[in-house]
Amino acid sequence: MKQSLKQNKALILGATGGIGSEVANQLSNAGWYINALKRRAHTMSEKKNITWFEGDALNQADVEAAAEDCQIILHGVNPAGYKNWGTLVLPMLDNTIAVAKKTGACIVLPGTIYNYGPDAFPVIHETSPQNPTTKKGRIRVEMERRLQGFANSGGKVIIVRAGDFFGPSAANSWFSQGLIKPNQAIKNINNPSEINIGHQWAYLPDVAKVMVKLIETRDTLDSFSTFHMNGFWDEDGVQMAKSIRRVVERSTGRTPNICAFPWWQIRFLTPFNQTLKELMEMKYLWQNTIRMDNSKLIQQLGYEPFTPIDKALENTLKELNCLN
């Protein structure tokens, strides 16, 4: 009797979030079976190849039950509403690591640029020193330190760092919370960048494609592998805003204004809004030209998936209901 091949199966933590939902969909389309953990999983509708598990990433037993037979754990989860981020993020990751040690699963993490401080600017490589100046950056460094320890003890880790997310499923992002407003016609585009300060953006479906490609080739990777994406490079800090305006003009006939982001207002509102508080802490990213180099990714895959910016923005703004 011919032995059946083991099914490709992945656990997605944060499957309703931006990157989690994109990776889940793309892995599913590639023939993978997906287990997804969610606090209120009974509210989720069924999707092809996706099985929902009710539970919490803060409960190791819940994570372990959902990870059964999974070769991959995508750790894309954040505390609800980003509340208590600093105290909850590391315990969540510790549960993922503990479960991966038991199951042998490879951990995949959506990384950020927050790990790096001014001594690594303006061009950042995977091996650049990590000396962040923010609390959030220091927590990110600690997350990677713990993942490095897991890899050193026999585990496998893939980290993909990219610019600011935007895309149809990126509801909680700089793009959808800062530049435009979902479910509203775009009359003004609030641009956070200073003049002639470059900024890096990442279209979520492209990020997910990179992750899926790396997952499929994980046997060829080092036990602890980090990769940087180039994404859409806004060379002078106004190209993203101009692209949004161009897409809106073509779709609606209206020409939005490009305005300076009201940082002064945000400063007064941060005590009452956690998302705005997070935005304010990361203001330095809009005041310095910072670019991640993707040479290592190109060497590994031969290319970086890239959706032309106008098409990516059209898809995004349609889904965010901004082109009516």
Side-chain angles (χ1 to χ4, degrees), residues 223-283:
S223 60
F224 185 80
S225 292
T226 57
F227 294 92
H228 289 175
M229 289 184 63
N230 183 63
F232 173 64
W233 174 243
D234 184 341
E235 61 186 5
D236 59 5
V238 296
Q239 296 310 307
M240 173 60 86
K242 287 182 177 179
S243 297
I244 294 172
R245 183 172 62 186
R246 189 164 58 242
V247 170
V248 173
E249 283 179 335
R250 188 164 57 241
S251 299
T252 69
R254 299 188 298 269
T255 302
N257 299 311
I258 298 176
C259 311
F261 185 81
W263 287 107
W264 65 273
Q265 289 182 353
I266 301 302
R267 186 179 300 279
F268 289 110
L269 294 173
T270 51
F272 314 103
N273 187 300
Q274 184 63 32
T275 299
L276 295 180
K277 186 176 182 180
E278 299 283 345
L279 297 184
M280 199 67 197
E281 187 181 35
M282 297 298 122
K283 183 180 178 181

Side-chain angles (χ1 to χ4, degrees), residues 65-83:
E68 185 176 0
D69 296 328
C70 291
Q71 298 94 49
I72 297 293
I73 301 177
L74 175 77
H75 189 89
V77 66
N78 283 296
Y82 284 84
K83 294 179 180 178

Side-chain angles (χ1 to χ4, degrees), residues 2 21 34 51 61 66 98 102 114 137 158 160-161 173 185 187 189 237 269 273 299 319:
K2 184 181 291 185
S21 61
I34 306 300
T51 301
K102 290 185 177 182
Y114 307 157
I158 299 172
V160 177
R161 301 192 190 99
S173 66
K187 298 179 181 179
I189 303 164
L269 294 173
N273 187 300
Q299 184 177 11
E319 188 66 25

Side-chain angles (χ1 to χ4, degrees), residues 85-96:
W85 194 90
T87 58
L88 298 180
V89 167
L90 291 172
M92 285 180 171
L93 181 65
D94 286 342
N95 287 339
T96 293

